Amino acid sequence: MQFEDAYKEVYEIVKPKYKLFTAGPVACFPEVLEIMKVQMFSHRAKEYKEIHVDTLKRLSDFLEAKNGEIILFPSSGTAFMEAAVRNTIPRGGKVLVTIIGAFGKRFKEVVEANGRKAITLEYEPGKAVKPEDLDEALKKNPDVEAVTITYNETSTGVLNPLPELAKVVKEHDKLLFVDAVSAMGGADIKFDEWGIDLVFGSSQKAFGVPPGLAVAAVSERVFEIAEKMEEKGWYLDLPLYKKFNATKKGTPSTPPMPQIFGLNVVLRIIEKMGGKEEWLGMYAKRSQMIREGVKEMGLSVLAEPGYESPTITAVVVPEGMKGEDVYNTMRERGFELAKGYGAGIKEKTFRIGNMGYMTFEDIQEMLSNLREVIEELKD
Ligand SMILES: *Cc1c(COP(=O)(O)O)cnc(C)c1O
């Protein structure tokens, strides 16, 4: 490398200093980082096409989406909120937005920012959406066209009961949009069986890949509506992506190729680990270890029992302690957790993510440091 100094100057700033238990971006598998270093080439070359098609196939299997089309967006996950709305809901149309935390609120903002109307079903932090409430809200608002659900609310560490909620949405014959950004790769998704219309995730969460790639499975019904939708724009035109999958084996504009190679590596790692069940079992075990660990310290978990997230835990700090102090002190010890996030809980909580590349030993080490930090801060 002729300009190694240039590399070193940047490396000094961004070099890894912490063990990550973040909400995303998360630590990546070394195999992922390795493949992302390869020299670039044209995204219309046959080598890219091979990886593109293989990634679609592997994602389709992972999400159990035989009846859906897999779409790769050169963007972060939020773009799919906008795409869902713009491709299916006419201007002024109504969407029932369920809110159990900050990311449910974001979906509402996206609906409204695009000139559509949001009807909300909102819960206090730590609670999950209940199927009977959703049923009632849909009975009261028969004119909504779609329902949005945050599968895993990253701000509160709550996993919504998606299969039960999806059933209610189908009974009312509405479109179902699922924000699975912090769930995809860490919690099960059965696209066909649950009758989802659009479910999206981001590379930088439970897949453990750098940011810049969004992934979704989209139903035939969405494409039928989208084909006739006016003013859906170009960049987020879902039928256009479907067409490019089929004809060009690629995306309409240039995709983040390194991230797609990285994701493909992760999907192969999952297969080599024994498949989806093994992989999701690992996530369940990681999060359980964290919940048990913090409870042993006398701390409580924000999520109501039975709805705990497999990818992130929001921990309530004792009276008189600040979540941010826990975050900062752990950082001094070389562990990056996540700060509390969202109205009313920012100060009172901190969060421990268990997404991406980490070992069970890393979790134990983090927990024993956390135990000491909590004791220190009590004094
Ligand atoms: C991180 C996150 C988002 C935002 O994803 P981006 O990739 O940053 O756009 C949305 N929803 C949830 C549940 C998240 O955890």
Side-chain angles (χ1 to χ4, degrees), residues 94-303:
K94 288 183 190 165
V95 178
L96 179 68
V97 179
T98 63
I99 300 177
I100 63 166
F103 289 105
K105 287 195 183 121
R106 180 179 298 185
F107 222 141
K108 174 177 186 269
E109 284 171 22
V110 170
V111 166
E112 291 174 343
N114 282 284
R116 278 72 169 172
K117 288 203 179 70
I119 310 287
T120 57
L121 172 61
E122 189 163 358
Y123 293 81
E124 61 184 72
K127 301 287 184 234
V129 179
K130 305 300 177 308
E132 52 278 17
D133 297 345
L134 182 58
D135 184 49
E136 204 173 300
L138 283 169
K139 278 182 184 145
K140 252 194 254 162
N141 299 282
D143 56 343
V144 301
E145 312 203 19
V147 175
T148 74
I149 294 169
T150 317
Y151 188 8
N152 187 73
E153 178 50 71
T154 320
S155 64
T156 60
V158 171
L159 186 77
N160 265 318
L162 185 56
E164 288 83 0
L165 298 175
K167 204 165 151 250
V168 174
V169 176
K170 289 300 104 177
E171 281 163 11
H172 288 268
D173 196 28
K174 305 299 180 191
L175 290 165
L176 172 58
F177 303 147
V178 180
D179 170 354
V181 173
S182 61
M184 191 183 286
D188 199 12
I189 293 170
K190 295 184 194 301
F191 178 86
D192 296 332
E193 193 183 316
W194 298 348
I196 299 169
D197 288 293
L198 193 152
V199 58
F200 58 92
S202 301
S203 54
Q204 78 277 14
K205 306 255 172 140
F207 283 126
V209 171
L213 172 66
V215 166
V218 181
S219 73
E220 201 39 53
R221 191 168 161 206
V222 166
F223 291 111
E224 279 165 23
I225 299 169
E227 293 285 0
K228 298 185 203 111
M229 188 62 55
E230 284 170 9
E231 292 181 29
K232 56 184 173 286
W234 192 91
Y235 199 78
L236 303 178
D237 178 339
L238 291 170
L240 190 63
Y241 281 77
K242 185 181 181 201
K243 187 175 139 205
F244 269 75
N245 272 346
T247 58
K248 297 274 172 72
K249 300 182 168 60
T251 47
S253 61
T254 317
M257 294 160 68
Q259 278 81 345
I260 292 170
F261 301 163
L263 177 59
N264 193 291
V265 167
V266 169
L267 294 165
R268 284 168 201 259
I269 291 175
I270 293 171
E271 186 184 304
K272 290 176 201 300
M273 270 179 60
K276 168 157 129 169
E277 250 177 71
E278 293 286 322
W279 172 268
L280 296 180
M282 173 192 76
Y283 263 100
K285 196 171 155 199
R286 284 179 181 178
S287 62
Q288 193 189 345
M289 246 168 114
I290 291 168
R291 286 193 298 275
E292 283 171 3
V294 297
K295 282 180 191 165
E296 270 171 27
M297 295 169 211
L299 302 176
S300 62
V301 165
L302 183 64

